[in-house]
């Protein structure tokens, strides 16, 4: 196997492959590798950890057809720092060489026969707007848990409603819900839970693409965008009953400008530790934000705001609050609340398709 290719193009694909390749399975070393296959002027790069796989198709100057499997992280790191714009890759015997200009590296290969066959969803795909789906991922995936001991919370629920598809994620401390009006990627009444890690990687792959395709199988989903194909095993779990957490109405609603609110929380986070909440005093004409961290210091900000309801003071985890504000689009944001010990809901003014619910954090003073 031998080919020549633009370094930047290859490096980008290898970085994606290295993120997916397993670094935990010592029993199957090939899972930590990236699979190269050259046919003519087409290179297919594939990485997998058996649950998630990604495949890239690249146009190259093919010099010799063949296959090879090599450490994904190692070859990604090497290609990224090569000095020339063009890189030559050649596999001979038990080694693969990476050369550019006066630089040459040789890496030991894994047995290509040990690399697993990738199974895609294998069903008819539907074309969807990549831009809208990427925006939805940006808003929702952040609320999924990374704790594998709570497997159901590591996924994103996708469920077909009568006139839309709804995407939901929660880690039990916050909840993100995004409606996709008119979306038809799921059949009527269908419900799946997609691993948040897979969707986070998909978000990276979408980039500036305009369209993408999605196919659903019995236990897996396949997404194609640009020259990349991502396939993930679906989670066979029961997603939490989330609708009961969202009240039909809230007696208190504060409206303020989103960007100053976001920047104020970012500044106060400098002093806020995980166990130190940011205090929000929602007053008649303003929001007063403050944080007091023992042995570090304190900070305070005050922003213009409009309150519809009663004045209320609530504490929030600074990271969860920041994530919610960041996920919301638009110039203004509302904070809807009932009382200091019940969840609050953040929404963009005029946006009925997204909400971010966050649990309060107890204030000690």
């Amino acid at each position: 196997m031998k080919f020549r290719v633009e370094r930047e193009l290859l490096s980008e694909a290898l970085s994606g492959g290295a993120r997916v390749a397993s670094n935990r399975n010592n029993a199957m070393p090939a899972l930590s590798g990236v699979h190269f296959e050259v046919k003519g002027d087409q290179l297919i790069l594939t990485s997998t950890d058996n649950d998630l796989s990604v495949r890239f198709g690249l146009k190259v100057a093919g010099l010799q057809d063949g296959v090879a499997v090599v450490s994904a992280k190692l070859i990604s790191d090497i290609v990224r720092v090569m000095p020339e714009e063009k890189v030559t890759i050649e596999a001979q015997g038990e080694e693969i060489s990476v050369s550019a200009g006066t630089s040459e590296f040789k890496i030991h290969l894994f047995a290509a026969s040990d690399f697993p066959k990738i199974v895609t969803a294998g069903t008819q795909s539907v074309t969807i707007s990549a831009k809208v789906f990427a925006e939805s991922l940006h808003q929702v995936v952040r609320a999924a848990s990374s704790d594998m001991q709570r497997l159901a919370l590591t996924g994103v629920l996708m469920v077909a409603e009568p006139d839309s598809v709804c995407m939901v994620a929660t880690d039990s401390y916050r909840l993100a819900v995004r409606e996709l009006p008119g979306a038809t990627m799921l059949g009527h009444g269908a419900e799946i839970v997609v691993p948040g890690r897979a969707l986070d990687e998909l978000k990276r792959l979408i980039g500036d693409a305009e369209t993408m395709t999605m196919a659903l199988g019995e236990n897996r989903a396949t997404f194609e965008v640009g020259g990349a194909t991502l396939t993930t095993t679906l989670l066979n779990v029961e997603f939490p009953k989330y609708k009961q957490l969202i009240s039909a109405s809230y007696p208190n609603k504060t409206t303020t400008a989103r960007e100053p609110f976001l920047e104020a929380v970012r500044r106060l986070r400098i002093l806020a530790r995980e166990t130190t909440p940011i205090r929000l005093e929602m007053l008649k004409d303003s929001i007063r934000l403050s944080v007091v961290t023992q042995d570090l210091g304190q900070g305070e900000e005050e922003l213009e705001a409009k309150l519809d309801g009663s004045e209320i003071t609530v504490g929030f985890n600074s990271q969860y609050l920041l994530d919610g504000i960041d996920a919301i689009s638009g110039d203004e944001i509302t904070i809807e609340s009932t009382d200091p010990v019940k969840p609050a809901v953040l929404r963009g003014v005029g946006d009925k398709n997204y909400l971010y619910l966050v649990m309060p954090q107890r204030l000690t003073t």
Side-chain angles (χ1 to χ4, degrees):
M1 181 198 78
K2 186 177 181 180
F3 65 92
R4 190 169 170 82
V5 66
E6 296 284 344
R7 179 186 60 82
E8 187 174 342
L9 186 66
L10 180 60
S11 180
E12 184 178 354
L14 287 174
S15 294
R19 288 193 300 269
V20 169
S22 174
N23 57 11
R24 302 182 302 272
N25 197 324
N26 294 326
M28 293 185 65
L31 286 180
S32 67
V34 58
H35 184 278
F36 288 79
E37 182 177 7
V38 175
K39 287 185 178 180
D41 289 334
Q42 182 74 8
L43 167 66
I44 302 296
L45 292 174
T46 309
S47 291
T48 184
D49 65 1
N50 269 344
D51 292 318
L52 174 64
S53 67
V54 64
R55 184 180 68 205
F56 298 92
L58 304 179
K59 184 77 171 178
V60 300
L63 302 173
Q64 183 180 345
D65 290 358
V67 298
V69 179
V70 65
S71 166
K73 185 179 186 309
L74 199 54
I75 195 166
S76 175
D77 289 346
I78 290 171
V79 169
R80 186 171 61 250
V81 297
M82 293 303 275
E84 301 287 339
E85 293 183 357
K86 295 274 190 179
V87 176
T88 300
I89 308 288
E90 182 176 10
Q92 284 188 325
E94 297 182 353
E95 291 183 327
I96 190 169
S97 69
V98 183
S99 59
T102 58
S103 297
E104 183 177 10
F105 290 80
K106 292 186 177 181
I107 316 168
H108 294 301
L109 294 172
F110 298 128
S113 58
D114 290 344
F115 195 84
K117 182 180 179 180
I118 305 303
V119 180
T120 60
T123 56
Q124 185 174 358
S125 61
V126 295
T127 300
I128 57 179
S129 167
K131 182 178 180 180
V132 171
F133 200 69
E135 181 185 61
S136 303
L137 296 179
H138 170 74
Q139 292 180 316
V140 173
V141 175
R142 64 185 62 215
S145 174
S146 58
D147 183 359
M148 298 307 293
Q149 300 301 315
R150 309 170 77 190
L151 189 60
L153 302 185
T154 65
V156 173
L157 173 70
M158 295 180 64
V159 57
E161 304 285 0
D163 300 311
S164 67
V165 168
C166 186
M167 299 177 65
V168 188
T170 181
D171 60 6
S172 78
Y173 302 107
R174 66 265 184 80
L175 168 75
V177 182
R178 170 65 190 261
E179 295 280 348
L180 296 167
T184 58
M185 73 272 284
L186 297 180
H188 179 68
E191 182 176 311
I192 60 172
V193 182
V194 186
R197 174 178 173 244
L199 293 179
D200 203 33
E201 186 60 37
L202 178 61
K203 183 175 63 174
R204 293 173 182 255
L205 297 178
I206 290 174
D208 298 326
E210 294 292 328
T211 61
M212 57 183 289
T213 64
M214 173 179 172
L216 295 176
E218 184 177 344
N219 61 355
R220 69 189 70 238
T222 296
F223 304 87
E224 293 190 25
V225 58
T229 302
L230 181 145
T231 297
T232 179
T233 302
L234 300 176
L235 295 179
N236 184 21
V237 295
E238 182 177 353
F239 197 81
K241 306 297 183 185
Y242 70 93
K243 291 185 178 180
Q244 61 197 33
L245 298 173
I246 307 168
S247 298
S249 62
Y250 293 85
N252 310 307
K253 181 166 76 171
T254 296
T255 305
T256 190
R258 175 188 172 275
E259 194 64 27
F261 189 24
L262 181 66
E263 293 304 318
V265 173
R266 280 182 176 150
R267 287 189 290 268
L268 290 174
R269 274 205 76 236
I270 297 171
L271 287 177
R273 292 175 172 172
E274 185 176 347
T275 56
T276 306
I278 287 185
R279 176 191 297 262
L280 266 60
E281 297 177 68
M282 286 166 271
L283 309 173
K284 182 179 179 181
D285 298 314
S286 67
I287 300 179
R288 186 178 298 133
L289 302 88
S290 60
V291 61
V292 179
T293 302
Q294 192 174 5
D295 300 331
L296 285 183
Q298 62 187 51
E300 184 175 300
E301 304 254 359
E302 190 155 358
L303 306 173
E304 292 184 359
K306 177 185 176 183
L307 173 63
D308 182 8
S310 303
E311 293 187 353
I312 184 173
T313 299
V314 188
F316 294 106
N317 175 285
S318 62
Q319 185 62 59
Y320 297 160
L321 180 61
L322 186 69
D323 283 347
I325 303 168
D326 178 68
I328 288 168
S329 57
D331 296 331
E332 291 188 306
I333 190 171
T334 63
I335 309 163
E336 298 173 283
S337 59
T338 302
D339 63 52
V341 296
K342 291 185 178 178
V345 169
L346 279 60
R347 306 178 198 259
V349 172
D351 184 1
K352 298 180 179 179
N353 296 324
Y354 181 70
L355 69 82
Y356 182 94
L357 179 147
V358 59
M359 298 295 292
Q361 193 168 338
R362 187 171 64 90
L363 296 170
T364 56
T365 57

